[in-house]
Amino acid sequence: MSRSVRAFWWSPRRDPRVLAHELRDHASGWARLALARGPVLTNHGDELSAVVLREVLGRPVRWAPLGREDVVAVGSAMVPYLTRRGRGLIWGTGLHTPELPADVPSDFRERVLAVRGPLARAALALDERTPLGDPGLVVRALRPGLPDNRRRGTVLITHFTSHADQSDRAAIRALRAAGMRVLSPTLTPDEMLREIGSAEHVVSAGMHGVILAHALRTPATLVSLHAALPSSPSFKYHDYHHSVGLEARATHWSALLGAEGRRAAHSAGAADVVRADRTIDSLVAGLIAAAAPLRSS
């Protein structure tokens, strides 16, 4: 049997440092999510690392802390990687913001196989030939049976932080009352892929709901559940959307309460699927090729 690949991803269940942060800042939200489908203290987007790495590399995957990992893939984990002395290869990992720690190790660039998007590539001062793409996009090649030809309804994928905020929870209730099926971020990656692949429209409060929808050619809308719409999506959204040739834009949840607003959002999401399709195919091929050192190690 092939040796296991040791991978780091964001995981309160496995990482005491992350767990302490989540219990301090989002304990009420996680308590509510404990009643939802899926394992507690998990996020489907980050857990996707194990699925994608296992299927692309053909090797077992197990979680490892930074400093003992072979690879970091899905997620915005570059700053923890740099500050906690990660040692593994970087395959499609991203940044939350363009700001980097002051004492970045000088040799980390030698370990970069790919990064999420062009803005992260520039912020990290990587060679312009460095492959781009979020590894979540690779599910397009791994799940040929998706999307389902019998799509139905609109799903709302919440973010785990939404459940700790009273106004966000009110928005979730309103969208559910408007007919959306609400999906917990604690669903397993395979459950989430099946839901996204069988939906007509994905409304997501987190980035990986949008990424997986694009991968499975499902129209997607990035939604803000906050009381006020931010002036612009954050850096990581712009980075991902630039990588697939799209503009990052968020829609306030209240615009989706009426049928006309939902039709407009669906139409815009469908246009995005068409616009990004060939670029995503190219990114997927590049990511699979860039993973070659992980297959041979």
Side-chain angles (χ1 to χ4, degrees):
M1 179 180 291
S2 300
R3 182 179 70 84
S4 294
V5 177
R6 295 169 299 178
F8 172 83
W9 61 89
W10 185 92
S11 176
R13 287 171 65 91
R14 303 172 181 87
D15 191 331
R17 186 180 305 198
V18 173
L19 177 61
H21 177 275
E22 290 305 313
L23 293 180
R24 183 190 69 213
D25 292 352
H26 306 123
S28 63
W30 287 115
R32 290 180 176 87
L33 284 169
L35 302 175
R37 282 170 56 193
V40 297
L41 293 167
T42 63
N43 180 48
H44 71 98
D46 298 283
E47 297 292 321
L48 188 69
S49 259
V51 174
V52 173
L53 286 166
R54 182 180 68 245
E55 297 186 21
V56 168
L57 304 180
R59 297 171 61 186
V61 176
R62 60 186 176 90
W63 187 87
L66 286 169
R68 288 192 285 169
E69 85 290 358
D70 299 314
V71 62
V72 181
V74 178
S76 302
M78 276 304 308
V79 168
Y81 176 89
L82 295 172
T83 57
R84 293 164 63 179
R85 295 299 185 262
R87 47 158 275 183
L89 297 173
I90 295 293
W91 184 59
T93 309
L95 285 165
H96 274 293
T97 73
E99 288 77 33
L100 299 181
D103 57 344
V104 171
S106 59
D107 62 346
F108 86 90
R109 294 178 183 86
E110 301 169 6
R111 301 192 291 273
V112 176
L113 304 178
V115 288
R116 179 188 288 150
L119 304 184
R121 183 169 63 185
L124 293 164
L126 296 169
D127 189 289
E128 289 190 358
R129 294 168 295 180
T130 304
L132 301 178
D134 188 286
L137 294 172
V138 178
V139 300
R140 169 172 293 191
L142 303 179
R143 294 292 185 275
L146 295 174
D148 194 318
N149 290 328
R150 297 167 295 178
R151 293 178 180 266
R152 57 185 178 82
T154 299
V155 296
L156 169 65
I157 302 173
T158 62
H159 192 273
F160 64 87
T161 58
S162 304
H163 297 268
D165 185 276
Q166 185 174 359
S167 63
D168 284 22
R169 294 197 303 272
I172 293 168
R173 290 193 296 270
L175 292 171
R176 180 187 282 116
M180 293 188 191
R181 190 165 74 257
V182 178
L183 303 180
S184 167
T186 58
L187 291 181
T188 68
D190 280 323
E191 288 175 322
M192 188 63 79
L193 289 171
R194 287 194 294 272
E195 292 280 5
I196 290 172
S198 63
E200 294 175 327
H201 184 197
V202 165
V203 174
S204 180
M207 189 166 69
H208 268 95
V210 174
I211 291 172
L212 294 180
H214 288 164
L216 298 180
R217 299 183 174 93
T218 302
T221 299
L222 176 63
V223 67
S224 172
L225 299 174
H226 303 321
L229 182 67
S231 58
S232 177
S234 64
F235 173 87
K236 67 177 184 178
Y237 291 99
H238 287 288
D239 189 36
Y240 163 69
H241 281 80
H242 274 61
S243 77
V244 297
L246 297 175
E247 177 186 354
R249 59 183 185 274
T251 298
H252 194 255
W253 64 270
S254 61
L256 302 173
L257 291 176
E260 184 175 348
R262 290 195 296 276
R263 280 195 298 270
H266 178 272
S267 178
D272 283 349
V273 166
V274 173
R275 191 175 300 117
D277 200 54
R278 296 177 73 174
T279 301
I280 292 174
D281 281 342
S282 178
L283 294 180
V284 169
L287 281 165
I288 292 173
L294 290 163
R295 285 189 287 272
S296 59
S297 61

